[in-house]
């Protein structure tokens, strides 16, 4: 066996070609076709002053960041040039394939009759006989003669012909050769230092460097992409009674703003100006005072705080750099507030979580806490709100606006031009106002809710949205279909099917229905990026200020949506009042809450046939009933143990004893 | 022969250089990264107690006892806070929403608290036999009391603030109303004038008509 290196580099070129193509084609494709075709369709086009300003800003930013785009373009171009060169090489290099063909050797066409072959061979052998060769060409003559003889024998001799047919050569099996797709220059001795050097650079230095960098950066950020130090700060500083303003202060102290927002010398003159206009605005509109945080006094916190206020009060300023900072701070804050929310949820604090969600809405819409929710719509500024107040025609929210008749509305917004009014109404009409159609509890396999059982909360949401009739009809159709599903599900429940598999079924169905429908981007002209709205759906106990079901993030509610979530029922029978919340992350004034009652009944009230079921399945631990029972018991036990642990700790505090058993 | 020596030397030298750079960077990073941040701010109650113990004219027993009680109170407060935080932090760690550093710092804080509690009980026993068993009970009561006191104070403050705000709002509304009235009055005045003028005009035109009619009549 022998190894052959790729002398002409043909195979190696093929390898390179595929390698380049793997990277090049997707990159080119996405840079060409990913452009915001989709985005444009879904953007609520609007020509209000703020939207225009945002567009302008984005355009400017795009212009300034051309170098990044061109880098990518250069990469793609170089890639294609390499690609073309390789293709050229591959196609032009002639591959010498050693296929032994007796006809070619003899120089006759295939299928020549035997007598003619004989004649031709005789002629050739006479001409190329080694005896007749001149002195200097003896070897050549000899080899040619042997070849001719071989070819002739293949065509005439039966045995040799068999050999040829089986092995491709009259001599039988040939030496087996293996090609290696590496060009020879890579192997040559004189190049070895360079090759080794590159190898050492790549694996000795490059690999550890990149792995190290990845490791450190992944350590510095949490799974949700927030700096770990920021989360540490949030966790330590967040209290159950933190007000929205304290939350805002906490946001401004995020480590991100220290590291990613530049502190410029010009800030010392520009920031006080902004703060003074913030003060003025606050005093004028709400007769409030601007209170800079006393807890976080680092300059970056102060700057972030001032820019937050400017953002929420919609104060404009002309300085390009500060504007960029403001956009960045506002945009990042929407991400960061989720971190605070996570902590509040982990503590199961209801009020703090609600405040976080409200702050998220305010940040997206750039509104102050007491602002009228109408300012979310285009063209509505403080002047219009003021005149509305003076005329005693106060529209408090968008629902009210939509329910008014056209005449009256036009009267209120007399100051707007017809086109402006139209675009205002369009944005108002796509406002996703949600409604809970139905919300109820259900336990798999049981007719009543027993203590400690796993209860499923089913919420049916509907969007009351467009004014067009056609859509409404469609909506009704869909909801009817859903109802059908619901009854179907109920039947399944009664049969005692698994809830989970049923979940899959329903979600699978609803997904199919909704893949083509997506929510529009939020009309948020004070945010530099387009945002897709989502909703938090959760359930809580208002009186105890405790979240029972952790918020689920729901996106793309276009017509209807059924949401299911599970929780464990309380361990004591009784009537419990809970509240289901649906809160938007980006719209103010569209939140809903619905009071729910959970009636937990004692086990003795279970229907008798269920009990028989229980008895039968008791010995088998792996049956559903047995597991349910086990779960109940374990739940009870855990609760008892938890309570006991608490009291134990107290005792430990009182009496001197080692309480390491608590950990 | 010589070339193989050169290669060996280069290899070993290169390895040494790489390793030393790595260790240098590693050590520098380690030094730069801050040590575990303490979970709680400084324990002032503890500091007070210790400085009282070491005071030159020795502090009275009463002072020492009350300082120790204060220290126990701090411990109780911290224990409650840690107990509240523990499940939340645990779930956050599991979700990967916070870093491990925070967890380490939490565990350290717990350990420190444990030690402090033991120390306080031991100290308490030196003042009076078996006080160590009840000191935390007392401290807990005191903490509860302080909490209640704070809440009642807050209620008072809140009430004052609400009243002030209410007053302010009322004044503002009054001013606005007055302005509104003024405007309304001005508007009414304007309208009245307009109506008057119109009336005058109408009268005049009627007069003219009347005259015309008269004239016509006369002509007839």
């Amino acid at each position: 066996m022998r190894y052959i290196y790729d002398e002409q580099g043909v195979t190696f070129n093929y390898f390179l070609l595929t390698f380049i193509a793997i990277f090049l084609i997707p990159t080119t494709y996405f840079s060409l076709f990913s452009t915001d075709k989709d985005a444009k369709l879904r953007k609520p086009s609007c020509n209000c002053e703020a939207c225009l300003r945002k567009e302008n800003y984005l355009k400017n930013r795009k212009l300034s960041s051309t170098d990044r785009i061109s880098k990518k373009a250069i990469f793609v171009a170089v890639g294609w040039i390499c690609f073309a060169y390789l293709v050229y090489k591959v196609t032009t290099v002639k591959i010498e394939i050693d296929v032994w063909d007796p006809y070619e050797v003899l120089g006759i066409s295939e299928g020549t009759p035997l007598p003619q072959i004989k004649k031709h061979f005789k002629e050739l052998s006479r001409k190329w006989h080694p005896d007749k060769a001149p002195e200097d060409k003896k070897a050549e003559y000899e080899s040619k003669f042997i070849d001719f003889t071989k070819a002739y024998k293949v065509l005439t001799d039966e045995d040799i012909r068999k050999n040829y047919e089986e092995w491709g050569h009259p001599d039988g099996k040939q030496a087996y050769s293996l090609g290696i797709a590496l060009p020879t220059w890579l192997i040559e001795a004189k190049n070895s230092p360079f090759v080794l050097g590159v190898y050492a650079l790549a694996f000795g230095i490059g690999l550890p460097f990149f792995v190290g960098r990845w490791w450190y950066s992944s350590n510095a950020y949490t799974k949700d992409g927030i700096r770990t130090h920021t989360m540490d700060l949030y966790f330590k500083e967040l209290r159950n009674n933190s007000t929205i303003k304290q939350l805002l202060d906490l946001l401004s102290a995020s480590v991100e703003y220290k590291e990613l927002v530049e502190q410029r010398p010009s800030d010392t003159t520009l920031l006080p100006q902004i703060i003074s206009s913030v003060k003025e605005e606050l005093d004028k509109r709400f007769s409030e005072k601007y209170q800079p945080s006393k807890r976080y006094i680092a300059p970056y916190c102060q700057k972030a705080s001032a820019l937050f206020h400017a953002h929420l009060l919609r104060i404009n300023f002309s300085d390009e750099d500060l504007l960029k900072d403001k956009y960045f701070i506002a945009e990042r804050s929407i991400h960061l507030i989720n971190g605070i929310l996570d902590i509040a949820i982990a503590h199961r604090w209801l009020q703090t979580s609600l405040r976080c969600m409200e702050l998220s809405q305010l940040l997206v819409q750039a509104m102050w806490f007491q602002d009228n929710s109408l300012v979310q719509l285009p063209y509505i500024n403080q002047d219009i709100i003021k005149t509305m107040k003076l005329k005693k025609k106060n529209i408090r929210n968008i629902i009210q606006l939509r329910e008014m008749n056209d005449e009256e509305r036009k009267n209120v917004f007399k100051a707007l031009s017809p086109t402006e009014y139209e675009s205002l109404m369009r944005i108002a009409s796509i406002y996703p106002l949600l409604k809970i159609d139905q919300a109820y509890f259900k336990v798999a396999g049981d007719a009543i809710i027993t203590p400690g059982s796993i209860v499923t909360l089913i919420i049916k949401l509907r969007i009351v949205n467009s004014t067009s009739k056609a859509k409404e009809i469609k909506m009704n159709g869909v909801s009817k279909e859903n109802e059908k599903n619901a009854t179907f599900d109920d039947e399944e429940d009664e049969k005692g099917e698994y809830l989970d598999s049923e979940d899959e079924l329903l979600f699978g169905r609803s997904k199919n229905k909704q893949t083509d429908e997506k929510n529009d981007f939020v009309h948020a002209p004070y945010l530099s990026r387009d945002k897709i709205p989502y909703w938090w759906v959760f359930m809580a106990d208002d009186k105890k200020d405790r979240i029972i079901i952790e918020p689920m993030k729901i996106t793309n509610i276009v017509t209807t949506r059924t949401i299911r979530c599970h929780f464990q029922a309380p361990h004591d029978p009784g009537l419990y009042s809970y509240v289901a919340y649906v809160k938007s992350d980006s719209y103010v004034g569209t939140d809903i809450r619905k009071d729910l009652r959970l009636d937990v009944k004692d086990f003795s009230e279970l229907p008798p046939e269920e009990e028989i079921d229980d008895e039968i399945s008791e010995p088998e631990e792996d049956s559903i009933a047995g597991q349910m029972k086990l779960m109940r018991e374990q739940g009870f036990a855990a609760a008892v143990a938890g309570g006991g642990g608490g009291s134990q700790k107290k005792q430990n505090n009182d009496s001197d004893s080692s309480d390491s058993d608590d950990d | 022969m010589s070339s193989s020596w050169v290669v060996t030397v280069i290899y070993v030298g290169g390895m040494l250089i790489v390793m030393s750079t790595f260790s240098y960077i590693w050590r520098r990073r380690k030094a730069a990264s801050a040590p575990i941040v303490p979970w709680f701010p400084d324990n002032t109650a503890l500091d007070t107690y210790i400085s009282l113990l070491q005071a030159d004219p020795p502090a009275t027993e009463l002072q020492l006892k009350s300082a120790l009680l204060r220290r126990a109170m701090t411990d109780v407060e911290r224990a409650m806070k840690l107990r509240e935080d523990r499940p939340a932090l645990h779930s956050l760690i599991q979700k990967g929403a916070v870093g491990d550093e925070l967890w380490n710092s939490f565990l350290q804080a717990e350990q420190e608290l444990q030690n402090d509690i033991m120390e306080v009980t031991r100290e308490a026993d030196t003042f009076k036999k078996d006080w160590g068993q009840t000191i935390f009970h007392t401290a807990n009561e005191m903490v509860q009391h302080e909490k209640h006191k704070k809440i009642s104070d807050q209620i008072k403050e809140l009430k004052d603030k609400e009243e002030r705000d209410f007053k302010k709002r009322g004044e503002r509304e009054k001013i606005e109303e007055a302005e509104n009235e003024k405007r309304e009055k001005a508007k009414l005045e304007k309208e009245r004038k307009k109506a008057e003028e119109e009336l005058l005009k109408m009268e005049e035109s009627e007069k003219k008509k009347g005259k015309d009619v008269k004239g016509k009549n006369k002509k007839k």
Side-chain angles (χ1 to χ4, degrees), chain A residues 322-350:
Chain A
L322 267 185
L323 201 65
K324 206 174 84 193
D325 290 348
K326 190 190 87 172
Y327 275 124
F328 174 79
I329 283 173
E331 207 175 289
R332 193 45 86 92
S333 69
I334 288 157
H335 186 62
L336 290 174
I337 191 81
N338 273 299
I340 300 185
L341 179 63
D342 275 346
I343 290 168
I345 290 168
H347 276 115
R348 309 215 150 247
W349 293 333
L350 171 66

Coordinates of all heavy atoms in Angstrom, one line a residue, chain A residues 322-350:
Chain A
L322 N -25.3 62.5 23.8 CA -26.2 62.2 25.0 C -27.5 61.5 24.5 O -28.0 60.7 25.2 CB -26.6 63.5 25.6 CG -25.7 63.9 26.8 CD1 -26.3 65.2 27.5 CD2 -25.6 62.8 27.8
L323 N -27.9 61.9 23.3 CA -29.1 61.3 22.7 C -28.8 59.8 22.5 O -29.7 58.9 22.8 CB -29.4 61.9 21.4 CG -30.8 61.8 20.9 CD1 -31.8 62.5 21.8 CD2 -30.9 62.3 19.5
K324 N -27.6 59.5 22.0 CA -27.3 58.1 21.8 C -27.3 57.4 23.2 O -27.8 56.3 23.3 CB -25.9 58.0 21.2 CG -25.6 56.8 20.4 CD -24.3 56.8 19.7 CE -23.2 56.3 20.7 NZ -21.9 56.6 20.2
D325 N -26.7 58.0 24.2 CA -26.7 57.4 25.5 C -28.1 57.2 26.0 O -28.4 56.1 26.6 CB -26.0 58.3 26.5 CG -24.5 58.4 26.2 OD1 -24.0 57.5 25.5 OD2 -23.8 59.2 26.8
K326 N -29.0 58.2 25.8 CA -30.4 58.0 26.2 C -31.1 56.9 25.6 O -31.7 56.1 26.3 CB -31.1 59.3 25.9 CG -32.5 59.4 26.6 CD -33.4 60.5 26.2 CE -34.1 60.0 24.9 NZ -35.1 61.0 24.5
Y327 N -30.9 56.7 24.3 CA -31.5 55.6 23.6 C -31.0 54.3 24.1 O -31.7 53.4 24.4 CB -31.3 55.7 22.1 CG -32.2 56.6 21.4 CD1 -31.8 57.6 20.6 CD2 -33.6 56.3 21.5 CE1 -32.7 58.4 19.9 CE2 -34.5 57.1 20.8 CZ -34.1 58.2 20.0 OH -35.0 58.9 19.4
F328 N -29.7 54.3 24.3 CA -29.0 53.0 24.8 C -29.6 52.7 26.2 O -29.9 51.5 26.5 CB -27.5 53.2 24.9 CG -26.8 52.0 25.5 CD1 -26.6 50.9 24.8 CD2 -26.4 52.1 26.8 CE1 -26.0 49.8 25.3 CE2 -25.8 51.0 27.4 CZ -25.6 49.8 26.7
I329 N -29.6 53.7 27.1 CA -30.0 53.5 28.5 C -31.5 53.0 28.5 O -31.8 52.0 29.2 CB -29.9 54.7 29.3 CG1 -28.4 54.9 29.6 CG2 -30.7 54.7 30.6 CD1 -28.0 56.2 30.3
A330 N -32.3 53.6 27.7 CA -33.7 53.2 27.7 C -33.9 51.8 27.2 O -34.6 51.0 27.7 CB -34.5 54.2 26.9
E331 N -33.2 51.5 26.1 CA -33.3 50.2 25.5 C -32.8 49.1 26.4 O -33.5 48.1 26.6 CB -32.5 50.2 24.2 CG -33.0 49.3 23.2 CD -32.2 49.5 21.9 OE1 -32.3 50.5 21.3 OE2 -31.4 48.6 21.6
R332 N -31.7 49.4 27.0 CA -31.1 48.3 27.9 C -32.0 48.1 29.1 O -32.1 47.0 29.7 CB -29.7 48.7 28.3 CG -28.8 47.7 28.9 CD -28.9 46.3 28.2 NE -28.0 46.2 27.1 CZ -26.8 45.7 27.2 NH1 -26.4 45.2 28.3 NH2 -26.1 45.5 26.1
S333 N -32.6 49.2 29.6 CA -33.4 49.1 30.8 C -34.6 48.2 30.6 O -35.0 47.5 31.6 CB -33.9 50.5 31.2 OG -34.9 50.9 30.3
I334 N -35.1 48.1 29.4 CA -36.2 47.2 29.2 C -35.8 45.7 29.4 O -36.5 44.9 29.9 CB -36.8 47.4 27.8 CG1 -37.5 48.7 27.8 CG2 -37.8 46.3 27.4 CD1 -37.6 49.3 26.5
H335 N -34.5 45.5 29.1 CA -34.0 44.2 29.3 C -33.7 44.0 30.8 O -33.9 42.9 31.4 CB -32.7 44.0 28.5 CG -32.1 42.7 28.5 ND1 -32.7 41.6 28.0 CD2 -30.9 42.3 29.0 CE1 -32.0 40.5 28.2 NE2 -30.9 40.9 28.8
L336 N -33.1 45.0 31.4 CA -32.7 44.9 32.8 C -33.8 44.7 33.8 O -33.7 44.0 34.8 CB -31.9 46.1 33.2 CG -30.5 46.2 32.5 CD1 -29.8 47.6 32.9 CD2 -29.6 45.1 33.0
I337 N -34.9 45.4 33.4 CA -36.1 45.3 34.3 C -36.6 43.9 34.5 O -37.1 43.5 35.5 CB -37.2 46.3 33.9 CG1 -38.3 46.4 34.9 CG2 -37.9 45.8 32.6 CD1 -38.0 47.4 36.0
N338 N -36.3 43.1 33.5 CA -36.7 41.7 33.5 C -35.9 41.0 34.6 O -36.3 40.0 35.2 CB -36.5 41.0 32.2 CG -37.7 41.2 31.3 OD1 -38.8 40.7 31.7 ND2 -37.6 41.8 30.2
G339 N -34.6 41.4 34.8 CA -33.8 40.9 35.8 C -34.4 41.1 37.2 O -34.5 40.3 38.1
I340 N -34.8 42.4 37.4 CA -35.4 42.8 38.7 C -36.7 42.0 38.9 O -37.0 41.5 40.0 CB -35.7 44.3 38.8 CG1 -34.4 45.1 38.6 CG2 -36.3 44.6 40.1 CD1 -34.5 46.5 38.8
L341 N -37.4 41.9 37.8 CA -38.7 41.1 37.9 C -38.4 39.7 38.3 O -39.2 39.1 39.1 CB -39.4 41.2 36.5 CG -40.7 40.5 36.4 CD1 -41.7 41.1 37.4 CD2 -41.3 40.5 35.0
D342 N -37.4 39.1 37.7 CA -37.1 37.7 38.0 C -36.9 37.5 39.5 O -37.3 36.6 40.1 CB -35.8 37.3 37.3 CG -36.1 36.8 35.9 OD1 -37.3 36.5 35.6 OD2 -35.2 36.6 35.1
I343 N -36.2 38.5 40.1 CA -35.9 38.4 41.5 C -37.1 38.6 42.3 O -37.4 37.8 43.3 CB -34.8 39.5 41.9 CG1 -33.5 39.1 41.3 CG2 -34.7 39.6 43.4 CD1 -32.5 40.2 41.3
A344 N -38.0 39.5 41.9 CA -39.2 39.7 42.6 C -40.1 38.5 42.5 O -40.7 38.1 43.5 CB -40.0 40.9 42.0
I345 N -40.1 37.8 41.4 CA -40.9 36.6 41.2 C -40.3 35.5 42.1 O -41.0 34.7 42.7 CB -40.9 36.2 39.7 CG1 -41.7 37.2 38.9 CG2 -41.5 34.8 39.6 CD1 -41.6 37.0 37.4
A346 N -39.0 35.4 42.1 CA -38.3 34.4 42.9 C -38.7 34.5 44.4 O -38.9 33.6 45.1 CB -36.8 34.4 42.8
H347 N -38.9 35.8 44.8 CA -39.4 36.0 46.2 C -40.9 35.9 46.3 O -41.4 35.9 47.4 CB -39.0 37.5 46.6 CG -37.6 37.6 47.1 ND1 -36.7 38.4 46.5 CD2 -37.0 37.1 48.2 CE1 -35.6 38.3 47.2 NE2 -35.7 37.6 48.2
R348 N -41.5 35.8 45.1 CA -43.0 35.6 45.1 C -43.7 36.9 45.6 O -44.8 36.8 46.1 CB -43.5 34.4 45.8 CG -42.7 33.2 45.4 CD -43.6 32.0 45.4 NE -43.2 31.0 44.4 CZ -43.8 30.7 43.3 NH1 -45.0 31.3 43.1 NH2 -43.4 29.8 42.4
W349 N -43.0 38.0 45.4 CA -43.7 39.3 45.8 C -44.6 39.7 44.7 O -44.1 40.0 43.6 CB -42.6 40.4 46.1 CG -41.8 40.1 47.2 CD1 -42.1 39.3 48.4 CD2 -40.4 40.6 47.4 NE1 -41.0 39.3 49.2 CE2 -40.0 40.1 48.7 CE3 -39.6 41.3 46.7 CZ2 -38.7 40.3 49.2 CZ3 -38.3 41.6 47.2 CH2 -37.9 41.1 48.4
L350 N -45.8 39.9 45.0 CA -46.8 40.3 44.0 C -46.6 41.8 43.7 O -46.5 42.2 42.5 CB -48.2 40.0 44.4 CG -49.3 40.6 43.5 CD1 -49.2 39.9 42.1 CD2 -50.6 40.4 44.1

